[in-house]
Amino acid sequence: MGRIKQPPGILAPHDARQWSRRDATHLLWRTQFGATAAEIAATHKAGLAKSLERLLTPQKETADFEDTESLLREAAYDTGAVGDLQAWWLHRMHYTANPLTEKLTLFWHNHFATSFSKVQSVPHMTAQNDRFRAEALGSFRTLLHAMAKDVAMLIWLDSNANRKRHANENFAREVMELFSLGEGNYTEDDIKQAARAFTGWHVRADKFWFNERQHDYGSKTVFGRTGKFDGGDIIDLSLEQKACPRFIAFKLLRTFVLDQPTEAHITALAACIQEHDFAMRPVMRELFSSKLFFSAEARHAIIKSPLELVLGACRALEVRPNLKEVNRVCGQLGQSIFEPPTVKGWEGGRLWINSASLLQRNNFAMALLEGKMGSMAKPSKKATHYRELLLAREVSGLKEFEGEPQRLVHLMMTLPEFQLI
């Protein structure tokens, strides 16, 4: 793969002398699910460099978190119910000391979209989720190889039907189209040949099994290269294509920076990904400390996903959420974790909002303030306090509020600005 030349200046560092509470709020809402007043104040005081170091470095979880996490995991294993599995992950998202890791775990879950509806196994879905978490800030190279042998993924994409005499193209197609390259960066013959390389990559006794009798050991030609390739070789060949770092760059930018990244933005981040050989920690450090990330065009440029909306509001308003209610509302709004709608995952962006979902989002705001989502901390009467917490920007008429605090919060949460992050 030739080197991608980075356009100058796009990922230049943000000027630390300009660090503000507004910057701290922006960083926290993009790297975790909402932020409390105390978190914003602490992040502003610490500065960008120290705050990023904390977000990117594994933090020790509390004993209470680990005890509850273990109990929720056991409950999901005992019942085999997807609702209990969802509650386990929602608990992690809301209470973890490593919020960026959970947000990236969700990113990879969406990237390698796999649904419980077909896999029908809590242990397999949990194992896949644990792998996403382990490599959330690790190596995309390692993660892509791991997904090619992941039991939940192999079931999801019918890998046991991929046999020497009748190659099934499902997994090979998704490896290229959805996991590494994107549409238009491979040929149909590449797919057919790659499918032969993955023959015999099966599941037996709930584990990955290389079925030698069903593997095609013959010569294959993929991306113009010829050899007796197996599935691992196809992964490596895909990673070598120029389209691969560009594809990952586009998805990272859409999730964490702005909905419509330009070619220059994509090229700059792709060059960074290539330079670090798909290691995510240095890539995310460079992205989150860049002028692009803190630029005016990147502010309030992404429509909140249901999870960002619901968990973000709970965290900002210091609500101890009822996880079953959170799960129900997020599902109603179109984002039921462990149950992405298709192999493409949740496409997000403007698709999160329509007339029906906007009404449901407003209904969520009322339910939250009425205590139906969990108990809320005593509200403040300062409008500026909520403007910062809820990312409501500068809204005319919201100065010192003399009335009921809940009315003020509800007003802010129903503004169009509140739908953006």
Side-chain angles (χ1 to χ4, degrees):
M1 175 172 60
R3 304 307 297 176
I4 299 173
K5 186 177 180 182
Q6 185 175 136
I10 289 177
L11 293 182
H14 179 63
D15 189 344
R17 295 170 298 179
Q18 297 177 352
W19 181 247
S20 64
R21 285 181 68 91
R22 185 167 171 263
D23 290 338
T25 305
H26 177 69
L27 176 69
L28 290 177
W29 271 85
R30 291 289 176 88
T31 56
Q32 57 186 49
F33 297 95
T36 65
E39 287 172 325
I40 292 169
T43 300
H44 178 232
K45 183 178 180 180
L48 178 56
K50 287 185 178 179
S51 297
L52 272 180
E53 188 63 28
R54 176 182 58 79
L55 286 164
L56 292 165
T57 303
Q59 304 294 308
K60 183 175 175 56
E61 301 287 2
T62 66
D64 181 62
F65 171 88
E66 290 184 337
D67 288 345
T68 305
E69 191 270 354
S70 178
L71 288 171
L72 289 171
R73 184 188 285 253
E74 286 178 18
Y77 271 67
D78 288 343
T79 66
V82 67
D84 289 330
L85 185 62
Q86 291 162 331
W88 164 74
W89 194 8
L90 288 169
H91 173 267
R92 291 196 62 95
M93 290 179 186
H94 190 70
Y95 293 107
T96 182
N98 297 281
L100 178 57
T101 295
E102 292 305 318
K103 202 153 194 185
L104 278 165
T105 300
L106 179 62
F107 172 82
W108 293 123
H109 171 50
N110 194 40
H111 183 80
F112 295 102
T114 308
S115 178
F116 182 89
S117 63
K118 182 173 181 178
V119 177
Q120 291 291 307
S121 168
V122 164
H124 293 335
M125 294 299 292
T126 308
Q128 185 187 76
N129 194 263
D130 287 340
R131 173 63 70 175
F132 293 150
R133 187 169 295 104
E135 295 298 338
L137 284 162
S139 167
F140 173 69
R141 180 183 295 278
T142 299
L143 184 57
L144 187 58
H145 274 283
M147 284 303 105
K149 295 182 178 180
D150 176 75
V151 175
M153 180 65 72
L154 293 172
I155 295 171
W156 175 237
L157 293 177
D158 306 306
S159 288
N160 274 16
N162 193 15
R163 297 170 175 270
K164 183 166 55 177
R165 293 183 183 278
H166 300 284
N168 183 297
E169 297 176 8
N170 284 5
F171 187 73
R173 183 175 300 280
E174 305 317 341
V175 163
M176 293 183 190
E177 180 180 333
L178 299 178
F179 302 162
S180 65
L181 303 176
E183 292 184 69
N185 295 301
Y186 54 85
T187 68
E188 284 301 307
D189 197 51
D190 287 331
I191 297 292
K192 287 179 170 53
Q193 296 285 299
R196 294 174 54 213
F198 284 107
T199 50
W201 286 42
H202 293 172
V203 174
R204 186 173 72 173
D206 289 326
K207 294 181 180 179
F208 169 76
W209 171 48
F210 178 59
N211 186 349
E212 293 184 65
R213 295 180 62 183
Q214 292 298 334
H215 180 67
D216 184 339
Y217 286 93
S219 183
K220 301 107 180 165
T221 300
V222 181
F223 306 133
R225 300 265 296 276
T226 301
K228 293 184 178 181
F229 301 135
D230 66 10
D233 296 321
I234 299 302
I235 298 293
D236 287 332
L237 287 170
S238 297
L239 288 162
E240 288 176 9
Q241 305 306 302
K242 281 186 178 181
C244 187
R246 291 182 59 82
F247 183 62
I248 301 304
F250 172 73
K251 298 193 78 170
L252 286 171
L253 288 164
R254 280 205 72 212
T255 301
F256 292 101
V257 185
L258 68 174
D259 188 58
Q260 297 295 327
T262 67
E263 280 297 310
H265 296 150
I266 295 167
T267 300
L269 188 58
C272 177
I273 291 170
Q274 189 183 63
E275 178 185 350
H276 294 293
D277 191 28
F278 297 98
M280 287 296 106
R281 182 171 279 104
V283 169
M284 302 312 289
R285 185 188 302 277
E286 197 162 330
L287 181 62
F288 290 141
S289 61
S290 69
K291 286 183 178 178
L292 171 62
F293 181 75
F294 290 102
S295 66
E297 63 183 321
R299 310 276 180 150
H300 298 89
I302 297 173
I303 295 173
K304 290 176 185 172
S305 69
L307 281 165
E308 288 168 331
L309 176 84
V310 176
L311 286 178
C314 287
R315 192 178 192 90
L317 298 173
E318 297 184 61
V319 172
R320 189 172 181 84
N322 179 320
L323 297 180
K324 287 189 176 180
E325 272 302 293
V326 168
N327 190 42
R328 183 189 66 79
V329 171
C330 286
Q332 188 179 54
L333 292 172
Q335 191 174 28
S336 185
I337 51 176
F338 291 111
E339 295 183 309
T342 70
V343 291
K344 293 184 178 180
W346 298 280
E347 296 187 51
R350 293 189 178 275
L351 294 178
W352 287 131
I353 299 287
N354 56 45
S355 57
S357 65
L358 190 57
L359 177 61
Q360 290 169 339
R361 284 175 176 234
N362 290 346
N363 289 342
F364 153 69
M366 181 61 73
L368 182 71
L369 297 171
E370 289 177 347
K372 295 178 181 177
M373 304 294 296
S375 58
M376 189 173 106
K378 186 177 179 180
S380 168
K381 289 190 176 183
K382 293 183 179 180
T384 52
H385 175 74
Y386 290 113
R387 179 181 291 125
E388 180 179 73
L389 284 181
L390 299 177
L391 292 178
R393 293 194 290 185
E394 294 301 317
V395 182
S396 60
L398 295 182
K399 295 181 181 178
E400 207 63 20
F401 190 76
E402 300 298 334
E404 187 67 27
Q406 279 90 343
R407 285 175 51 212
L408 168 65
V409 177
H410 183 256
L411 173 60
M412 285 190 173
M413 290 179 70
T414 56
L415 291 170
E417 289 87 349
F418 182 65
Q419 308 306 322
L420 303 174
I421 189 173

